Each structure stands twice: as structure tokens, then as C-alpha cells.
């Protein structure tokens, strides 16, 4: 919305100092957000898990050789399907994974 940064500044100065807003910054680079909000913002970049981190969610130590190799391969397949996003690790319905990933992509 045009003028959103002025609105947030006014709310911050008038009502509260704790404002959280999220969304795509495709129209505004994350380096410019601090300038627009006069240094009152913190940009957090959220990244998917690495395969090692993904395995830790499931208390699995990845192995390359031995009897546990097939388990590691199964977790890797799951990692590729889920995309490595922490919030998807506990979903049980495959269609929800696809819906979330499609929404992230969009």
C-alpha cells in the first residue's frame, strides 16, 4: 500500500513501539527498509534447514556407510520433498506440504 511506512511511523510514535509486520519486500530492498523506517527495523532472513539440521529434528545422525545408510537416504528423500522448512517437519498430510511449498514459491 502506498505510504505504508508513514503509517507505521505514525503508529510507532503515537501508540506503541512494538510493531511487527511481515511480507514480501519485492518492491523495497531489505537494505532500504531501515532507511524508510528511519532505523527502527530489524530485517530477519529466514532460511530452510540444512540436511544436517533437518536430521536433528528427527534425532537421526546421518551416515554414509552401514545399516543406517538406508534410513539416512529415507530422511534425505523426505528432506527433498519437504524443502527443509522447520514448520513442515511435523505435518503428516502430504497435500499440506505441497500447499505450503506452493505458497512459499508464490
Amino acid at each position: 500500500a502506498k505510504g505504508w511506512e508513514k503509517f507505521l511511523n505514525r503508529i510507532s510514535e503515537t501508540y506503541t513501539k512494538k510493531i511487527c509486520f511481515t511480507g514480501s519486500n519485492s518492491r523495497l530492498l531489505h537494505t532500504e527498509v531501515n532507511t524508510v523506517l528511519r532505523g527502527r527495523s530489524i530485517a530477519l532472513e529466514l532460511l530452510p534447514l540444512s540436511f544436517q539440521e533437518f536430521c536433528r529434528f528427527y534425532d537421526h545422525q546421518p551416515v554414509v556407510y552401514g545399516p543406517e545408510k538406508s534410513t539416512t537416504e529415507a530422511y534425505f528423500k523426505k528432506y527433498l520433498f519437504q524443502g527443509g522448512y522447520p514448520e513442515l517437519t511435523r505435518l503428516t498430510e502430504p497435500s499440506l506440504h505441497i500447499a505450503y511449498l506452493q505458497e512459499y514459491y508464490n
Side-chain angles (χ1 to χ4, degrees):
K2 190 174 181 174
W4 63 269
E5 66 278 2
K6 293 176 186 174
F7 172 75
L8 286 182
N9 277 327
R10 188 175 74 236
I11 296 297
S12 175
E13 292 169 1
T14 308
Y15 296 106
T16 181
K17 297 294 179 196
K18 293 183 180 184
I19 298 174
C20 295
F21 69 98
T22 64
S24 170
N25 61 357
S26 61
R27 295 190 67 210
L28 186 67
L29 296 174
H30 75 279
T31 54
E32 296 172 335
V33 171
N34 285 339
T35 305
V36 169
L37 295 178
R38 300 184 194 124
R40 297 182 208 159
S41 71
I42 297 173
L44 298 174
E45 186 175 3
L46 301 176
L47 301 172
L49 300 170
S50 69
F51 180 61
Q52 293 282 341
E53 294 167 329
F54 182 84
C55 286
R56 271 188 255 147
F57 265 76
Y58 292 99
D59 296 322
H60 174 71
Q61 178 64 40
V63 294
V64 178
Y65 303 105
E68 289 293 311
K69 180 182 176 186
S70 61
T71 305
T72 298
E73 289 172 347
Y75 277 114
F76 188 67
K77 210 178 237 187
K78 188 172 189 166
Y79 173 74
L80 290 176
F81 177 74
Q82 291 182 357
Y85 293 97
E87 59 273 10
L88 301 184
T89 59
R90 303 296 182 222
L91 293 178
T92 56
E93 182 61 42
S95 63
L96 283 176
H97 288 108
I98 294 168
Y100 270 94
L101 292 173
Q102 186 64 52
E103 189 61 32
Y104 292 156
Y105 177 77
N106 291 340

